[in-house]
Amino acid sequence: MGERAGAAAGSALPIQPDDVVARARGCVGAPFRAQGRSVEHGLDCVGLALIAFGIEGQRPRYALRGGEVSAVMAMIADAGLVAVAVGGAAAGDLMLHRAGAQHLHLTIATGDGYVHACGRIGRVVEVRGEAPWVVVGRWRSPEKSSPGGGGGSLQD
């Protein structure tokens, strides 16, 4: 990963949880594409997160396969999201999962399930229930009233 970037132009942070969920659900059906950043051309889990949190137009450098959890956590924190306790996801939370020995994956909690970019199925899907993967981190948008609560970039 490279140098840290400053605030993202066009960031919607802070954003309400219902808006995060609505944006994520708006991506359901989009084709899966590694490093994808648009609903029209395809999304991966990072692209889905960027759209859900209104941090569009960013091209972060990352490695979810073989990547380090700490590097992904730093990328998310740099975007302006706030880390919260891992247990008990709330609607609008961004979840980082260990989906395999060398595979990290991001999902958006909806309250009764999650939205994610599924490479196996080949598109963005919404699934009811808890994700089957180990949760290693959870974040949400800062409160609108919190000082310094502004957006950054998902870039490291």
Side-chain angles (χ1 to χ4, degrees):
M1 301 211 178
E3 296 178 21
R4 293 182 187 244
S11 174
L13 291 177
I15 185 172
Q16 294 297 316
D18 289 345
D19 293 334
V20 173
V21 172
R23 286 171 176 253
R25 284 180 169 152
C27 296
V28 169
F32 175 85
R33 188 177 119 226
Q35 305 285 317
R37 295 294 172 270
S38 74
V39 172
E40 298 78 25
H41 296 106
L43 295 167
D44 65 3
C45 63
V46 173
L48 172 63
L50 290 168
I51 290 173
F53 284 92
I55 308 171
E56 300 179 56
Q58 297 296 308
R59 302 292 304 172
R61 295 176 302 273
Y62 60 92
L64 294 177
R65 290 199 186 269
E68 294 184 26
V69 171
S70 61
V72 175
M73 288 179 160
M75 175 180 75
I76 293 167
D78 285 349
L81 299 180
V82 177
V84 292
V86 170
D93 285 356
L94 176 67
M95 311 288 287
L96 174 63
H97 303 270
R98 182 165 300 286
Q102 293 294 315
H103 184 189
L104 301 174
H105 188 53
L106 296 171
T107 63
I108 308 294
T110 62
D112 61 351
Y114 59 100
V115 176
H116 78 116
C118 184
R120 183 178 51 81
I121 294 174
R123 66 182 184 277
V124 175
V125 296
E126 182 171 359
V127 181
R128 292 199 183 272
E130 292 185 22
W133 313 290
V134 174
V135 177
V136 296
R138 183 166 68 100
W139 296 261
R140 62 178 55 133
S141 178
E143 296 293 324
K144 288 201 181 277
S145 61
S146 64
S153 66
L154 275 181
Q155 224 166 336
D156 193 12

